[in-house]
Amino acid sequence: MTARILIVCTGNICRSPLAEQLLRDNLRSAGIDAVVTSAGTRAMSGSAMTPEAAALSLQYGASNTEHVARQLTEKLIADADLVLTATRDHRRDVVTLLPKATRYTFTLNQFARLVAPADAEDGTAFAADASRADDQTGLDFPAFIASVASTRGLHPSPNPPTLDDVEDPYRQPAAVYDRAAAAINASVTTITAALIAAGA
């Protein structure tokens, strides 16, 4: 089945389109069937990515940086199997719009932390269960997400909690853009590897 992944930040011109493009290309290269989109909680609707974010997207291997910012809506959230946000505040905004989305909404860094190789023992268990749920025709993506969500309470929040956030580089120096892009790329790489391991 085609996984539907929505990535959310504030303006939808820096962090979320960068994550969208890197995750889309990583999953495509891995042969994983997914539709990856993005939106902003206070989107600069109609705008392209910032030049800095677009340059970093290409630097990290994105094949295309064409982008038009759009506002986050309840329907976009409802249509997704997985919502990944730049920060905990964005995660709260998503769940405020659609409370039931708490089951499949994580910050990008949080989701990567939950599926990281350090959790391989847990990951193997829920990946196998999710695959069986789809009669071994491929990964049942919603079941996989539900299994990951069920492990949230088993893992303490990082210290400091801001490690689950990607800092906002908008109108900030190049060094902030670099840090944000490196964090996004690291999480995207971890998530892709976890989906490959789960049999997506």
Side-chain angles (χ1 to χ4, degrees):
M1 65 178 294
T2 301
R4 298 166 299 176
I5 303 171
L6 175 67
I7 304 178
V8 176
C9 72
T10 304
N12 194 214
I13 57 170
C14 299
R15 291 168 291 181
S16 57
L18 175 56
E20 171 194 355
Q21 290 161 11
L22 296 184
L23 185 58
R24 179 190 297 125
D25 277 16
N26 271 259
L27 295 180
R28 182 184 297 130
S29 296
I32 296 172
D33 187 16
V35 174
V36 186
T37 58
S38 66
T41 57
R42 294 192 300 277
M44 298 177 67
S45 299
S47 297
M49 291 176 76
T50 63
E52 298 92 337
L56 285 162
S57 186
L58 291 173
Q59 178 182 318
Y60 279 103
S63 59
N64 190 329
T65 60
E66 291 180 11
H67 175 73
V68 178
R70 61 177 180 167
Q71 179 64 32
L72 179 69
T73 64
E74 182 180 332
K75 184 179 187 309
L76 289 174
I77 300 166
D79 286 346
D81 299 308
L82 171 63
V83 180
L84 298 173
T85 67
T87 69
R88 291 162 296 146
D89 285 345
H90 297 127
R91 184 180 62 196
R92 183 195 62 226
D93 291 340
V94 167
V95 173
T96 298
L97 271 176
L98 187 66
K100 71 176 184 181
T102 189
R103 298 182 303 225
Y104 57 90
T105 301
F106 310 78
T107 76
L108 178 72
N109 289 350
Q110 175 193 25
F111 191 74
R113 177 167 55 81
L114 292 174
V115 300
D119 303 322
E121 186 174 336
D122 291 337
T124 300
F126 62 64
D129 289 343
S131 295
R132 282 196 295 274
D134 202 29
D135 295 326
Q136 299 187 358
T137 57
L139 181 67
D140 181 334
F141 194 74
F144 175 79
I145 300 308
S147 296
V148 175
S150 73
T151 70
R152 272 194 264 216
L154 305 176
H155 302 279
S157 295
N159 186 17
T162 50
L163 290 173
D164 271 347
D165 299 339
V166 176
E167 62 186 313
D168 187 359
Y170 184 57
R171 292 180 172 170
Q172 296 298 311
V176 182
Y177 266 99
D178 289 342
R179 286 198 303 269
I184 288 168
N185 185 64
S187 287
V188 163
T189 300
T190 297
I191 291 166
T192 303
L195 288 171
I196 293 170

